[in-house]
Amino acid sequence: MSQAAEFTAPYRLEYPYKRGLGPVLGAFFTGLRSGQLVGVRSAQGEVFCPPTEFHPSDAQALTEMVPLTGQGTVETVYWIERPAPHHPIQRPFGFARVRLDGSDSFFVHALDTQGDSSLAQSGLRVAPRWRVERQGAITDIEAFVPIDQASSPEPCDGDAIERAVIPVGLDYVIRAGVTQSTFLTHLKDRRLVGRRSPDTGQVLIPPRGACTTSGEVCDEQVEVASTGMVTTFSVIRIEFPGQRLPPPYVCAAIVLDGSDVPLIHLVGGDPDEVRMGMRVRAVWTDEPQASMEAIRFFEPTGESDAPFEQYAEHL
Amino acid sequence: MSRPCAVIGVGQTRYAAKRQDKSLAGLVREAADAAMLDAGLDWQQIDAVVIGKAPDFFEGVMMPEHHLAAALGAVGKPMIRVHTAGSVGGSTAVVASHLIQAGVHQRVLCLAFEIQSCSNAMWALSPPYPFQPPTVAGAGGYFAPLMRAYMHRAKAPKDTGWKVVIKDRRNALKNPLAHIQSEPTLEQCAQAPVLWDPINYLETCPSSDGACAMILASESAAKEAPNPPAFVQGTALRSEPIFFPGRDQVSPQAGIDCAADLYRQAQITDPLAELDMAELYVPFSWFEPMWLENLGFAEPGDGWRLVEDGVTDFGGALPVNVSGGVLSSNPIGASGMIRFAEAALQVRGLAGAHQVDGVRRAMGHAYGGGSQFFAMWVVGDTPMAS
Amino acid sequence: MRPVAIVAFAHSELDGPSDLDEVELIQSVCSSVRQQVGLSQQEIGFTVSGSSDFLSGRPFSFVSALDGVGAFPPIEESHVEMDGAFALYEAWVRLQHGDIDTAMVYAFGQPSLCDLNQVLGLQLDPHWAAPLGLDEAAVAGLQARASGSEDSLSRVPLSDGAAAIILVAGDRAKSLCPRPAWIRGIDHRMDVGELSQRNLAALNSVTACSKALRISDQTIERAELHINFDHQRDLIADALGLSPNVAVNQGRTSAVDTYMVSGLLRIGEAASAIMRGTASCTLGHASAGPALQQNLVCLLGANP
């Protein structure tokens, strides 16, 4: 029944996010790079590590930084027998909440007991195992380990840290949906097939899962021509990542003959020649493809322009 | 059954291309602290928090309101996160006002923010997602054709857009919080590089970091506030789909209907005469004449005349965007709320160097998506008589 | 407060990944609830939805969903980047103003497009928690252990889907539905955010809602709780103060988790029991945030 399985595509969302830290988190990360855990003290004398800039109970700003020994006691462990690739330790380990000596909150990090879950229990005395090369990140600590396995960090100093680059990467698998998949299948045959709304009788292309005005399902498929007219357009002169044509190029709203809605696409040729009302036709790629990119761009047909009245309603 | 709602506190951060001097929490607190100080309140006096921002991909934190609970004094309280595309700053204020008008809460903190310097605005707005048309060219690429269509329909002179830019940037010089602090000359406007024809670099909003906060309160809570309140005299939201046959994207029906609902609530029949100033969401210069028509300040085709005649200048009959507008500061999630907040500041007489004399009623306007989401309010120095 | 009732509820198929896109999912549930009460979209006073961009990886994913609603002539509409249950709360608030009587709430989510376990790690502190590779399971696991549960985690199966509900205020509810499910109370609260500072065993936000709604004074027959992992059921039930003879998660749709829709589904199920006449006092619950940080409770009854 569904052809949608063909229309799946992987998509990776990733960015190296640049974060301002402010003085409190800045001090925390500077401390990490030095191999020192630093907390923040509230007016009531509580110490939080990792430090938070604001008190959860009364929202007061917290600013007084307090050094800690880094030693502490495990309070809770969640053991992971089969780590995933995104986990910090790639043999059986636990995520743990550790009550650091001198702190009133918990430090959350990996707990590495060499794969021995019986050791990873509440009450275990632990300390950080520091990375040799550190940059001012939570991963400067590789994991917490039983105290007798911890050792002093190698020195690693520098200017106060005020910003951090923290990359994020997520993988998605995107599906096109039933209506869109059908539309894309027709594009592979170089056919532009829209849908007619049962209420308005108008043809929408590209088709959506419903008539956009009434919200009713549009079952009737209607083929439209691959020629049409430019209603309005812009000449893109700015460069940006992911562009398909080098600027300057034209991005236009084109109403195909037989359609009642404009479709956004590229117009090739000399950008200075493009006009409102210009008649255009689709230029297809040599290789058929089930994608909007099957149309490389639209080009002028050379016919005389459509009169303003014909496209005025689309503006 | 709808109770009066007042604005008793406004706070904004300094807007800039990069506010990496603070963390996420630190930056939103800069705005929230200022609003709380203005309202003369302690954190435990706030009943609920309504927060709004644009897509979370800007900062790479999913639903950051959870992380910001302590910073916003929201622990133990109700918190709502609004997301309505570019209009979100405005709709966040509207949702917050609903809580007061419904009598659910007495004092609500609403806040909107964006830290665009964490990533890249064009990437965050239009990442290369599969099965999308391959023509993304940023917001400018989407809106430039609409501006071309307007210029054609209205037969407007070429320099109208430039005059809007000069006006807004000149106004920003009186607003120490505004991001862009330089006023271009007409010649510079004429010669600026064109990004998306016909829009050039100077006619385009900046990418900014920042946050804006307001404290909304019931009538009785407003009586205890140390500084003069502004009363919400009307709020409206309208949405329409992005593509449908016959859609007028230059003067969308949703904008017209939203304004009509707003004016009916505020008992306004002649907005040009009855409003003393307006903060309109103008991210590209030509949107000022377009919105002036859409909102009924001018007849269709005549919006540009108000600009040319100086009506929307600081000293004109309807000053528009005396804060500098979106053209001078644009943290996308916050920009709508900044319009609403600046309108309130004007009514309260607290706008400092960019205060217009004698403002009794002002409008805040925000839009988003493909000109399809609208949020608006009118604030005045008295509540509406019920 | 003005009495508001749920008069219609619809949901999509909830059997895992869906071939439909968000427009198709929304179209069917919105169309269904409107048909249930015989209202056109134009006759509905306020429409509000819930969804998350991070689930689909696309900014403004709710914007295209609007194409499935029939939003022209323009409608009064809003959206929260939250579970649909919170959109329902926003609609309930709006109906208190008295100028409109009807609202439609919808939500959609397609967790099959992403690795939800990993995506939810991004809800954590971006500086020191997310970069550690803490994921949904690890956070839930820490909470389970902190609450004294030693069992392995059992995740509620995920599904794509959508749901919609119609709310009507005042007497009009009775003209549109023979047995409206009246919202006798609705409240939501946020707990401490940082995993480092949170008391993971005590769901303070649930307890606060329970007190505010006087749950202990009610004779609740059924409760539909939004859980992501099985062990959370007892945690939430205890924090609510539910008596042991309350039927928990008997609703057909309560066996799956359609992220961003689940809370709305739970409220819909709780309401359905009343609309069918099989119960007179029920409870729907929604949760959000890491380790059940934010919770919403909706008390429903056969009378206002």
Side-chain angles (χ1 to χ4, degrees):
Chain A
M1 188 265 294
S2 100
Q3 39 196 312
E6 184 182 346
F7 299 101
T8 61
Y11 171 64
R12 182 160 176 84
L13 182 95
E14 61 184 346
Y15 203 92
Y17 285 96
K18 303 179 279 279
R19 305 197 177 286
L21 296 172
V24 170
L25 291 171
F28 176 62
F29 282 106
T30 305
L32 284 174
R33 190 188 54 206
S34 311
Q36 158 106 80
L37 279 174
V38 176
V40 75
R41 177 159 30 221
S42 73
Q44 299 92 316
E46 305 142 297
V47 174
F48 301 129
C49 183
T52 54
E53 296 172 84
F54 302 98
H55 199 294
S57 302
D58 61 15
Q60 294 307 305
L62 307 175
T63 54
E64 186 193 342
M65 307 306 298
V66 173
L68 301 173
T69 64
Q71 296 181 347
T73 310
V74 170
E75 187 248 15
T76 315
V77 185
Y78 175 65
W79 188 255
I80 294 172
E81 197 57 45
R82 272 175 295 282
H86 59 268
H87 286 147
I89 305 282
Q90 290 301 307
R91 61 176 165 205
F93 80 105
F95 275 116
R97 291 213 305 177
V98 175
R99 174 89 71 183
L100 293 174
D101 297 343
S103 167
D104 296 283
S105 68
F106 299 103
F107 203 90
V108 182
H109 213 294
L111 173 63
D112 187 3
T113 54
Q114 313 275 339
D116 182 355
S117 62
S118 66
L119 205 51
Q121 302 294 325
S122 295
L124 179 68
R125 292 284 299 162
V126 292
R129 181 175 70 223
W130 295 94
R131 240 175 250 290
V132 173
E133 310 239 331
R134 300 186 296 276
Q135 51 180 335
I138 194 64
T139 44
D140 287 349
I141 296 173
E142 282 183 357
F144 275 74
V145 296
I147 238 173
D148 52 9
Q149 290 169 30
S151 57
S152 298
E154 300 287 323
C156 190
D157 287 307
D159 295 333
I161 292 175
E162 294 171 342
R163 282 183 260 285
V165 175
I166 306 181
V168 165
L170 293 170
D171 289 300
Y172 292 82
V173 177
I174 309 305
R175 286 189 302 275
V178 171
T179 310
Q180 202 180 9
S181 299
T182 310
F183 172 69
L184 294 174
T185 304
H186 289 304
L187 279 178
K188 206 166 176 182
D189 297 329
R190 293 189 175 174
R191 295 172 63 210
L192 286 153
V193 181
R195 303 255 176 155
R196 192 189 300 282
S197 164
D199 308 277
T200 65
Q202 290 170 312
V203 176
L204 309 172
I205 190 163
R208 310 288 284 133
C211 166
T212 50
T213 48
S214 69
E216 293 307 310
V217 171
C218 303
D219 286 322
E220 184 190 346
Q221 299 190 49
V222 176
E223 184 161 1
V224 305
S226 57
T227 51
M229 62 186 170
V230 170
T231 57
T232 182
F233 66 96
S234 172
V235 182
I236 311 300
R237 299 187 191 276
I238 183 179
E239 285 182 18
F240 61 88
Q243 257 170 336
R244 289 184 47 245
L245 292 179
Y249 61 89
V250 175
C251 185
I254 298 163
V255 178
L256 298 171
D257 301 324
S259 157
D260 293 295
V261 202
L263 167 152
I264 311 274
H265 215 295
L266 304 168
V267 176
D270 184 352
D272 295 326
E273 290 293 303
V274 179
R275 309 169 295 282
M276 292 167 70
M278 189 169 84
R279 297 276 315 160
V280 293
R281 71 168 144 251
V283 175
W284 300 86
T285 52
D286 294 330
E287 280 296 309
Q289 48 180 306
S291 146
M292 277 297 282
E293 297 178 0
I295 297 176
R296 291 172 57 208
F297 50 81
F298 284 76
E299 68 180 3
T301 61
E303 300 159 286
S304 39
D305 292 354
F308 181 71
E309 305 78 57
Q310 230 177 64
Y311 60 88
E313 62 166 303
H314 297 292
L315 293 179
Chain B
M1 226 188 272
S2 182
R3 298 157 208 235
C5 173
V7 181
I8 63 170
V10 171
Q12 302 181 66
T13 60
R14 181 176 52 82
Y15 304 109
K18 291 183 206 243
R19 285 300 310 271
Q20 298 247 326
D21 53 299
K22 294 193 173 173
S23 67
L24 218 91
L27 197 62
V28 305
R29 265 299 278 260
E30 186 176 306
D33 280 341
M36 294 289 281
L37 190 65
D38 185 5
L41 294 176
D42 295 323
W43 284 97
Q44 72 268 18
Q45 294 177 282
I46 298 291
D47 299 319
V49 180
V50 183
I51 190 168
K53 62 182 296 297
D56 289 343
F57 305 125
F58 275 109
E59 297 83 13
V61 183
M62 181 180 179
M63 298 155 81
E65 55 279 9
H66 292 279
H67 164 60
L68 294 171
L72 294 174
V75 175
K77 297 177 189 169
M79 187 180 209
I80 292 274
R81 154 73 191 288
V82 180
H83 177 17
T84 60
S87 66
V88 65
S91 52
T92 299
V94 172
V95 170
S97 74
H98 285 175
L99 291 167
I100 304 286
Q101 292 173 321
V104 176
H105 297 303
Q106 296 292 306
R107 297 177 184 87
V108 176
L109 166 66
C110 61
L111 183 142
F113 76 97
E114 212 70 66
I115 306 188
Q116 301 186 189
S117 67
C118 281
S119 66
N120 173 286
M122 276 187 80
W123 168 82
L125 287 176
S126 41
Y129 202 75
F131 308 118
Q132 302 292 294
T135 52
V136 289
Y142 182 85
F143 292 117
L146 304 185
M147 290 181 264
R148 175 186 299 280
Y150 173 76
M151 288 154 76
H152 185 94
R153 262 158 64 162
K155 301 187 180 13
K158 201 171 161 53
D159 64 357
T160 302
W162 305 332
K163 291 189 172 165
V164 170
V165 177
I166 292 167
K167 168 180 73 72
D168 284 5
R169 300 272 168 86
R170 176 182 299 153
N171 287 341
L173 295 176
K174 295 199 199 82
N175 180 359
L177 299 179
H179 171 178
I180 308 283
Q181 295 276 346
S182 71
E183 178 189 339
T185 63
L186 202 60
E187 200 179 322
Q188 284 170 324
C189 286
Q191 291 171 1
V194 174
L195 301 183
W196 313 278
D197 209 306
I199 299 304
N200 72 39
Y201 172 72
L202 281 175
E203 296 177 276
T204 302
C205 51
S207 166
S208 318
D209 288 353
C212 177
M214 288 192 286
I215 312 292
L216 303 188
S218 65
E219 198 170 18
S220 56
K223 291 194 170 88
E224 298 164 27
N227 293 320
F231 290 94
V232 176
Q233 298 184 337
T235 67
L237 302 171
R238 285 297 186 278
S239 309
E240 69 183 38
I242 191 167
F243 284 121
F244 57 85
R247 180 172 190 226
D248 185 339
Q249 291 204 54
V250 173
S251 183
Q253 192 65 42
I256 295 171
D257 290 357
C258 195
D261 185 3
L262 181 70
Y263 297 151
R264 185 185 47 76
Q265 293 173 45
Q267 292 169 26
I268 290 175
T269 48
D270 182 352
L272 186 60
E274 298 175 61
L275 287 168
D276 300 316
M277 65 87 63
E279 285 277 329
L280 308 180
Y281 200 115
V282 174
F284 303 97
S285 58
W286 282 90
F287 271 86
E288 179 167 303
M290 286 159 68
W291 291 146
L292 290 169
E293 294 176 22
N294 186 248
L295 296 167
F297 293 110
E299 292 295 308
D302 285 346
W304 61 271
R305 291 183 200 280
L306 295 186
V307 177
E308 293 281 334
D309 293 345
V311 171
T312 61
D313 285 353
F314 193 96
L318 181 82
V320 171
N321 293 339
V322 298
S323 64
V326 178
L327 278 170
S328 303
S329 311
N330 186 27
I332 290 179
S335 286
M337 189 172 289
I338 298 170
R339 310 278 73 70
F340 280 44
E342 285 284 344
L345 281 174
Q346 292 284 334
V347 165
R348 300 170 71 209
L350 299 177
H354 64 280
Q355 177 71 48
V356 174
D357 285 339
V359 173
R360 299 196 57 202
R361 308 184 86 182
M363 175 189 213
H365 159 278
Y367 89 99
S371 298
Q372 61 192 129
F373 301 107
F374 292 87
M376 306 177 191
W377 82 0
V378 168
V379 281
D381 57 6
T382 56
M384 292 305 297
S386 39
Chain C
M1 292 288 145
R2 202 173 173 216
V4 172
I6 292 174
V7 298
F9 168 52
H11 59 82
S12 65
E13 281 179 24
L14 298 168
D15 52 9
S18 172
D19 286 338
L20 305 179
D21 65 21
E22 67 276 359
V23 179
E24 292 156 347
L25 283 168
I26 290 305
Q27 191 284 331
S28 70
V29 297
C30 290
S31 165
S32 175
V33 287
R34 288 190 303 250
Q35 271 170 34
Q36 283 177 38
V37 290
L39 289 175
S40 70
Q41 182 58 41
Q42 290 301 309
E43 292 170 303
I44 290 171
F46 180 56
T47 300
V48 52
S49 62
S51 67
S52 160
D53 283 346
F54 256 107
L55 235 61
S56 58
R58 182 157 58 98
F60 310 113
S61 46
F62 63 93
V63 173
S64 49
L66 194 63
D67 285 347
V69 173
F72 197 81
I75 59 175
E76 183 177 332
E77 181 263 350
S78 187
H79 172 263
V80 289
E81 192 78 353
M82 307 175 85
D83 187 291
F86 295 88
L88 186 143
Y89 178 82
E90 187 181 329
W92 174 83
V93 171
R94 179 66 183 87
L95 288 173
Q96 299 300 317
H97 298 172
D99 60 321
I100 56 168
D101 294 334
T102 59
M104 182 171 78
V105 181
Y106 64 90
F108 64 94
Q110 294 178 280
S112 71
L113 300 179
C114 68
D115 178 345
L116 188 68
N117 182 44
Q118 258 195 288
V119 166
L120 294 182
L122 291 188
Q123 287 185 328
L124 301 168
D125 188 302
H127 311 100
W128 59 260
L132 269 182
L134 279 160
D135 51 27
E136 187 205 25
V139 172
L142 281 169
Q143 183 169 51
R145 302 291 174 259
S147 323
S149 161
E150 291 301 323
D151 301 332
S152 355
L153 290 188
S154 169
R155 211 217 183 276
V156 174
L158 286 169
S159 174
D160 293 352
I165 276 180
I166 299 235
L167 299 179
V168 178
D171 288 340
R172 191 153 174 225
K174 295 180 217 161
S175 69
L176 294 174
C177 174
R179 277 183 294 263
W182 293 96
I183 295 176
R184 294 183 25 215
I186 183 167
D187 194 15
H188 62 94
R189 303 292 169 99
M190 179 72 87
D191 207 333
V192 172
E194 300 291 352
L195 279 184
S196 53
Q197 292 175 323
R198 175 100 178 273
N199 180 344
L200 288 178
L203 297 180
N204 293 329
S205 52
V206 176
T207 309
C209 289
S210 182
K211 273 177 73 171
L213 299 181
R214 303 213 187 121
I215 295 300
S216 53
D217 295 342
Q218 315 295 332
T219 314
I220 294 170
E221 298 155 76
R222 288 174 59 140
E224 306 294 334
L225 310 181
H226 174 192
I227 60 175
N228 313 112
F229 295 86
D230 286 340
H231 72 273
Q232 294 170 337
R233 182 198 327 244
D234 288 344
L235 278 182
I236 296 168
D238 288 348
L240 278 171
L242 289 182
S243 81
N245 47 21
V246 176
V248 173
N249 286 8
Q250 301 291 295
R252 230 173 24 87
T253 63
S254 297
V256 290
D257 183 8
T258 301
Y259 212 79
M260 304 315 283
V261 189
S262 288
L264 190 66
L265 283 168
R266 303 295 174 270
I267 294 174
E269 280 291 349
S272 290
I274 295 176
M275 290 193 280
R276 282 193 305 266
T278 56
S280 58
C281 182
T282 64
L283 179 151
H285 156 270
S287 64
L292 306 172
Q293 179 189 351
Q294 184 177 31
N295 289 275
L296 178 146
V297 178
C298 182
L299 183 66
L300 295 158
N303 297 300

